Each structure stands twice: as C-alpha cells, then as structure tokens.
Amino acid sequence: MIQFTPVADDNPDLALSPLLRGARLTLDYIEANAPIGLTPLKALKRYFVQWAAEAFAWPFYEPEDLYYLNKVLNEQDFPPLMVLHDVLLSAKLVRHAKGAMHCTKLGKQLKSKPGELWTVLADHLLALDHAPYTRHEDTLVGNWDIFLNVINVEAHNGATKDRLSSVLFGSGSEDGRNYHRLRAAFYIHVLRPLTWLGLMQEHRIGSGRERQEVFTKTPLWAAALALETDRHLENLTRH
C-alpha cells in the first residue's frame, strides 16, 4: 500500500481533486435530501446522475459533452460517477440498503475532514481493480511503487502519455493493436486515477488522431507523496 503524507484539511491543493469534490458533494446530498435511490442493478438512479453531472463539474465530462452523446444520463454514461460509487462502497463511506445508497457513520465523520477523506479515497481508488472500466477488461503489469517513482521523474516538467508508456513498458509499433490496448490500459489503470485524485493534471492538445495528452504533477503530488526518486528532481529542475 502507498504511504501518503497526511494532508491538512485546510490545504488549498485538495481543491485539485475532482474525486474528493464529488465524494463530498455526494455525502452532503444524502444528508440534505435523503438516501439516493438505486436501480434493480444497483446503479444510482437517473435523477442523481443528472444532478451530479451538473454539480461535480468534472473536467472533460461537462454536461454538454455528456448530453451530446446521450439524451438521458444513466450512471454508466458518467464514468467518474461509476468509479466514485465503487470507491465509496469499497471505503465503507456509503452502503446499499432497502433500494438506496445511504451514508455510513464513517462517511458522516469524514465528509467534514477533507484531508483525511482524501487519503481514504486515494487508498481505495489505487487499490481498486480498474480492469472492468477498460473496453476489453485489460489488466496491467506493474505496481504503484514503480509507476509513481518513474512518473515522478518523467513528468517533472510534463510528459505525454506516449512517453510515460514507452518508459514503463517499452516502445512498440504504433500501428499494433496490442500497443494501443496497452496505452489505453495504462491510462485507465494509472494516469486517470492519479488525475482524478488531483495528483496530476491532464492537458489535451489537438484533436482527433492528432490529439496528445500531456501530464503534469500538481502541488498536491509533492504534498502527499514522498518518493525514492525525489532525490533526482533537483538536478532535473536545474537543467
């Protein structure tokens, strides 16, 4: 398990985490409005999905983008909410009972302690099996110690998804199906969780096949992580 440095509740860098923001809004919603209804398949009901799409203001999942692809929104149409739902359950911040999602005692305690809540969310998000969120349920070889230490150096001044992928897994034919699946799996398993936690920021440059994703570390990265490769960063900054 990753050992995070405790983050103070009043640290402004916590505002960089859309996952933390979504979790607190969801817990506040339950307290103010009653438990959130569930469908027979245990998904959050449409009325809450529509509310969350507006309230969360999740980067790259703005309501206009979501409604461009869907006339109505179900939980599966809003991927961040699907993952958040799973994380909240895994962390026992919410529970399912009598056809609805309820806030637990722990959830009520932590929703007003953003630093501690962020650490709980981070622990469970990074331990979650992200394979079901990929198109082909692809797994990824590696561990968080390797991923974080490599990214710590490579993305110190910004790095593309292709660059990070090639350093970690080797370069391959860009026309190969396996190469594209590996990059996609790396994004879902590693880069997207780090971005949703607010440890990294994704910058999308260009469009279509020419689009590139560039990743930079946020101030929250340095506040929450102490890594072996930190000793190499001073020389990188100088050069």
Side-chain angles (χ1 to χ4, degrees):
M1 181 179 293
I2 301 165
Q3 295 298 315
F4 290 104
T5 303
V7 181
D9 288 336
D10 60 354
N11 189 322
D13 299 334
L14 289 169
L16 298 167
S17 173
L19 191 80
L20 176 63
R21 181 171 62 251
R24 297 185 76 191
L25 286 169
T26 300
L27 296 174
D28 284 341
Y29 182 98
I30 295 173
E31 183 177 57
N33 298 282
I36 300 165
L38 298 170
T39 70
L41 295 178
K42 306 297 185 183
L44 297 169
K45 283 195 171 180
R46 191 176 292 164
Y47 71 87
F48 180 75
V49 179
Q50 294 170 345
W51 177 87
E54 295 282 348
F56 288 3
W58 206 289
F60 306 121
Y61 293 92
E62 286 82 4
E64 56 269 26
D65 299 321
L66 296 172
Y67 281 110
Y68 181 79
L69 299 173
N70 310 279
K71 291 184 178 180
V72 295
L73 293 181
N74 297 302
E75 184 179 328
Q76 66 186 26
D77 302 319
F78 189 14
L81 183 59
M82 288 181 61
V83 175
L84 175 62
H85 188 177
D86 288 342
V87 171
L88 291 174
L89 285 170
S90 174
K92 293 181 169 51
L93 298 168
V94 300
R95 62 184 177 89
H96 290 176
K98 298 180 179 180
M101 187 171 81
H102 302 251
C103 186
T104 64
K105 181 179 180 180
L106 179 62
K108 292 175 183 177
Q109 291 173 344
L110 292 186
K111 74 183 186 70
S112 59
K113 300 177 181 179
E116 191 174 346
L117 176 58
W118 181 88
T119 300
V120 170
L121 294 171
D123 285 339
H124 285 268
L125 178 65
L126 300 189
L128 200 65
D129 179 12
H130 292 266
Y133 308 130
T134 67
R135 180 173 297 181
H136 304 286
E137 297 201 1
D138 291 322
T139 58
L140 195 67
V141 177
N143 61 65
W144 280 109
D145 183 60
I146 294 172
F147 295 148
L148 291 173
N149 275 288
V150 170
I151 292 171
N152 191 35
V153 174
E154 291 296 327
H156 190 58
N157 295 308
T160 65
K161 180 174 68 176
D162 288 347
R163 168 64 183 175
L164 294 171
S165 181
S166 66
V167 170
L168 282 161
F169 306 106
S171 58
S173 171
E174 295 194 5
D175 296 325
R177 180 178 299 178
N178 290 337
Y179 174 80
H180 289 289
R181 284 181 59 170
L182 176 63
R183 284 197 312 163
F186 175 54
Y187 179 79
I188 296 297
H189 283 270
V190 177
L191 295 178
R192 192 172 77 171
L194 293 176
T195 301
W196 286 1
L197 285 174
L199 293 169
M200 301 187 76
Q201 187 170 5
E202 178 181 353
H203 312 267
R204 296 183 177 180
I205 302 171
S207 59
R209 292 186 177 181
E210 301 301 318
R211 192 181 82 185
Q212 281 194 323
E213 295 86 9
V214 178
F215 292 85
T216 56
K217 296 182 294 184
T218 70
L220 187 57
W221 179 288
L225 293 168
L227 300 168
E228 292 180 12
T229 50
D230 285 344
R231 65 182 187 273
H232 300 301
L233 300 183
E234 184 177 352
N235 288 336
L236 287 174
T237 302
R238 288 177 178 175
H239 291 88

